[in-house]
Amino acid sequence: MVKVKLFAGFRELAKKSNFDISLGRDISLNEFISRLCDEIPALKKPLAERNAIIAVNHKVADEDTVIKNGDEVAIFPPVSGG
Amino acid sequence: MIKVQREDFSIEEEIKKVKAKSRRIGGIVTFLGTVRDFSRGKEVKKLVFEHYPGMAEKKLVELREKALEKFDVIEVSIIHRFGEIGIGENIVLIIVGAEHRKDAFEACKFCIDELKKIVPIWKKEITTEGEIWIEEHP
């Protein structure tokens, strides 16, 4: 199971902050994003059009990142603290 | 020392903690970020900060360690608040203690600049014309 966490604008668009996705096998980040958009169609447009940062286990991911059961995947906009 | 907390902080108390770290400290530089009432042409009523618990703290620890390594400073303390913060209230405090001022100033600037780029904290402006998540770091 992958723990998914959404923050800021993404959390508000999806109307949820946490949910789980169960994977049959390890998948690429791109496959994971498609899976995410199937689960929550409200995320499809913002993930395609807006800047999204994806962190896996607290580290910013890139297209080579592989997602596996047990991972924590967070999706958020560019940061704006301070 | 780093902290992400809802409650306000005492600058005086936090400076005391930095001073207590070493008697070699001869200069302390602080940056205090506060809420202003006007932004992007709109009147701001308050700000709401959201953070990613776990990752925000981890990034702040990394940032502190990087500053301690990069500059000739003795102690770096970073505190960022989350939740609703009203006009004029404190948002973020960075304190750097060093033997001399030059590295303390540089390390303090480095910390706030990097914090705005890499620490997963987000700011929402509640204005008289609506609410907006800020996705840039001027």
Side-chain angles (χ1 to χ4, degrees):
Chain A
M1 209 150 62
V2 176
K3 268 188 179 317
V4 183
K5 296 189 169 192
L6 304 171
F7 293 96
F10 289 99
R11 174 179 54 74
E12 289 182 348
L13 286 163
K15 296 188 173 68
K16 56 173 89 182
S17 56
N18 283 289
F19 57 97
D20 295 332
I21 289 184
S22 214
L23 299 181
R25 58 178 174 87
D26 296 355
I27 59 175
S28 71
L29 184 62
N30 281 338
E31 283 176 278
F32 185 78
I33 292 170
S34 315
R35 182 74 194 275
L36 202 64
C37 294
D38 293 341
E39 299 261 342
I40 303 180
L43 286 177
K44 201 168 186 166
K45 209 167 166 241
L47 277 173
E49 292 174 0
R50 293 169 55 177
N51 270 337
I53 296 169
I54 300 175
V56 179
N57 303 327
H58 295 165
K59 277 203 185 107
V60 175
D62 58 36
E63 54 186 22
D64 296 329
T65 304
V66 173
I67 312 292
K68 51 193 185 307
N69 284 317
D71 283 345
E72 178 173 301
V73 177
I75 295 144
F76 48 80
V79 305
S80 57
Chain B
M1 183 201 49
I2 67 101
K3 269 188 272 180
V4 183
Q5 61 185 43
R6 186 180 291 278
E7 62 275 17
D8 197 8
F9 42 76
S10 154
I11 300 160
E12 206 56 38
E13 286 305 311
E14 299 304 328
I15 288 178
K16 254 188 220 165
K17 290 180 202 164
V18 168
K19 274 187 183 166
K21 179 81 182 183
S22 168
R23 296 182 64 176
R24 278 196 296 125
I25 292 176
I28 291 177
V29 171
T30 64
F31 173 79
L32 175 66
T34 60
V35 182
R36 62 172 174 275
D37 69 350
F38 201 75
S39 173
R40 289 156 242 266
K42 293 185 176 75
E43 195 183 322
V44 176
K45 293 196 284 189
K46 63 184 171 193
L47 297 181
V48 179
F49 284 88
E50 179 171 327
H51 72 297
Y52 179 0
M55 186 175 173
E57 289 84 352
K58 200 177 273 183
K59 286 287 173 192
L60 285 173
V61 167
E62 280 175 26
L63 180 55
R64 176 180 177 274
E65 283 168 1
K66 219 190 263 181
L68 285 168
E69 199 180 302
K70 199 172 154 69
F71 302 95
D72 189 11
V73 297
I74 294 166
E75 179 60 305
V76 175
S77 170
I78 310 173
I79 305 175
H80 201 298
R81 292 179 66 198
F82 64 89
E84 286 190 7
I85 307 184
I87 305 300
E89 284 185 44
N90 301 328
I91 302 168
V92 59
L93 176 65
I94 295 170
I95 307 173
V96 180
E99 281 190 57
H100 305 288
R101 69 187 181 283
K102 185 171 179 283
D103 275 271
F105 273 111
E106 282 171 9
C108 190
K109 182 177 187 305
F110 170 81
C111 285
I112 187 60
D113 289 349
E114 286 295 302
L115 182 151
K116 283 172 175 275
K117 285 185 219 156
I118 64 160
V119 181
I121 299 176
W122 303 274
K123 174 192 298 168
K124 186 192 234 181
E125 287 179 354
I126 314 296
T127 76
T128 48
E129 295 167 50
E131 305 182 358
I132 182 166
W133 283 106
I134 305 304
E135 292 188 10
E136 59 191 72
H137 36 78

